[in-house]
Structure formats: C-alpha cells, structure tokens
Amino acid sequence: MSYEQEFMEDFESWVQAQILINEMALKESKQVFEEDQDERARDAMLRYESRLDAYQFLIGKFENFKTRKSFHDLPDGLFGERNY
C-alpha cells in the first residue's frame, strides 16, 4: 500500500471516529439541556451539530475519491434527501 493510500485510509478512519464521538457528545449535551435548561449545553449542541456537518461533508468527499469522481462533484442522491 502506498503512503498516500495509507494516509487516506487513516484519515477516513479518524473522521469516522470523530463522527461517533460528536454524535455521543451531541446526545449527552441534548439530554443535559432538556433536564437542566443549561444554556451552555445548548451552545455545545450547536457546536457538535456543526462539527458533524463538517465531518459528514468530508465523508462525502471520501466517497467521491473511492468512486473516482471529482472533488467538487455532489454526492449521489443529495437532492431530494433530508438528513436531520
């Protein structure tokens, strides 16, 4: 495996791990906000959601790379789908 391939696989694994971490943190901060109405938890929720959006964007770019699409191509099925 070339250095570039290994780097891309490691990077993708890291992004996947960050998605899991931020999903758990979002869930926990949401629970704290619902229980305590703590504004800091609400702010944390917004940060975790923003990070998740960015990491999911990167996952789409990895999919483009795997399917040999251009970096700027939109992922398949983007239009008409809603992800919340």
Side-chain angles (χ1 to χ4, degrees), residues 15 19 22-23 26 46-60 83-84:
V15 170
I19 288 173
N22 280 279
E23 284 175 341
L26 175 61
L46 294 173
R47 283 193 304 274
Y48 293 129
E49 285 177 331
S50 295
R51 289 177 186 166
L52 279 171
D53 287 344
Y55 292 135
Q56 289 167 344
F57 172 82
L58 288 174
I59 292 299
N83 297 314
Y84 297 99

Side-chain angles (χ1 to χ4, degrees), residues 74-82:
L74 296 174
D76 291 337
L78 178 67
F79 294 108
E81 284 186 20
R82 293 189 179 169

Side-chain angles (χ1 to χ4, degrees), residues 24-81:
M24 290 184 335
L26 175 61
K27 180 181 173 187
E28 291 299 318
S29 60
K30 186 175 185 176
Q31 182 179 352
V32 168
F33 179 70
E34 289 172 352
E35 291 173 358
D36 303 335
Q37 297 299 312
D38 187 347
E39 287 299 312
R40 293 175 299 172
R42 187 179 65 81
D43 292 342
M45 286 171 40
L46 294 173
R47 283 193 304 274
Y48 293 129
E49 285 177 331
S50 295
R51 289 177 186 166
L52 279 171
D53 287 344
Y55 292 135
Q56 289 167 344
F57 172 82
L58 288 174
I59 292 299
K61 297 306 173 181
F62 284 117
E63 292 302 317
N64 281 356
F65 178 75
K66 288 177 186 175
T67 57
R68 300 192 148 301
K69 291 184 178 179
S70 168
F71 179 84
H72 298 290
D73 284 347
L74 296 174
D76 291 337
L78 178 67
F79 294 108
E81 284 186 20

Side-chain angles (χ1 to χ4, degrees), residues 8-29:
M8 291 299 286
E9 285 184 9
D10 289 346
F11 185 39
E12 184 176 10
S13 295
W14 180 83
V15 170
Q16 292 287 2
Q18 295 306 305
I19 288 173
L20 291 175
I21 291 167
N22 280 279
E23 284 175 341
M24 290 184 335
L26 175 61
K27 180 181 173 187
E28 291 299 318
S29 60

